[in-house]
Amino acid sequence: CQDNIISWFDWDRKEQFEDIERYFSKMIEFRKKHTILRNEDFFDYYKGNIKWHGTTPENPDWSYYCNTIAFEIDGSSMDKSEPSIYAAFNSYHEPIKFELPKHKGKKWYRVADTAVEFPNDFTETEIEVGNSYTVQERSSVILILK
C-alpha cells in the first residue's frame, strides 16, 4: 500500500539485477506448476498437509534463540500426483546440516538454493540430494520429493 519510491520498481535497471529477476520469475513458475501452493485452505498440522521440522525431521525448535526451521507440505493431500515440497531456512552465521524426512521409495531433489550462484540458484532440472542437506549461512532451500 505504498505508492511512492519505497515500492516503485525501476524497470530500466532490470538487466543490472538479472539474477534477482530470474529467481523470482522461476519462483512464480514453480508456484504455478504445483497445485498444493495454490491451495485455498490454510495448511493445517492436524489435517496432515504440513509437517514442521528442525534440523531433524518432525523436531522443530520453537525456542527464542533458534535460527533454523523447516517444513514439508504434503502434495498428495491435494492431488496424488503432486510431489511434497520441503523448505529449510537457516538464519545462523554458519552452515547447518538438515536431516531430511524419509519416504520409502522416494528421493529428495533440490529445486532452489539461495546460497548457490546465479544462474544455478534455481535449477532447470532437479538435483538429487540424498538423506541430508547442508543449508548455508543465511540462506534457504526448496526441495521436492519424487
Side-chain angles (χ1 to χ4, degrees), residues 42-107:
F42 188 74
F43 293 114
D44 189 338
Y45 176 81
Y46 298 103
K47 289 181 183 176
N49 58 10
I50 190 167
K51 291 181 183 175
W52 291 98
H53 306 294
T55 56
T56 58
E58 297 191 49
N59 191 23
D61 181 353
W62 299 113
S63 69
Y64 180 80
Y65 294 103
C66 182
N67 292 295
T68 60
I69 193 70
F71 64 85
E72 177 184 353
I73 300 171
D74 179 10
S76 68
S77 67
M78 188 169 190
D79 177 349
K80 296 298 179 198
S81 65
E82 184 75 19
S84 290
I85 297 170
Y86 177 91
F89 305 89
N90 176 12
S91 65
Y92 196 56
H93 63 273
E94 293 180 7
I96 296 181
K97 184 177 179 180
F98 284 74
E99 181 184 325
L100 301 175
K102 292 178 175 65
H103 294 273
K104 190 175 183 177
K106 294 187 177 185
K107 297 177 182 180

Side-chain angles (χ1 to χ4, degrees), residues 8-33:
W8 293 340
F9 189 85
D10 185 354
W11 288 100
D12 293 332
R13 297 175 59 193
K14 180 181 169 192
E15 288 76 28
Q16 181 181 354
F17 298 101
E18 175 187 11
D19 54 343
I20 296 171
E21 189 270 338
R22 181 184 174 277
Y23 186 87
F24 281 99
S25 293
K26 292 291 181 186
M27 189 63 73
I28 291 166
E29 286 177 28
F30 184 76
R31 182 179 180 273
K32 288 179 178 180
K33 182 178 178 181

Side-chain angles (χ1 to χ4, degrees), residues 124-142:
E124 296 293 329
T125 58
E126 295 95 12
I127 300 167
E128 187 178 336
V129 296
N131 295 325
S132 65
Y133 194 89
T134 299
V135 181
Q136 297 303 311
E137 64 275 3
R138 297 180 176 96
S139 65
S140 58
V141 172
I142 299 173

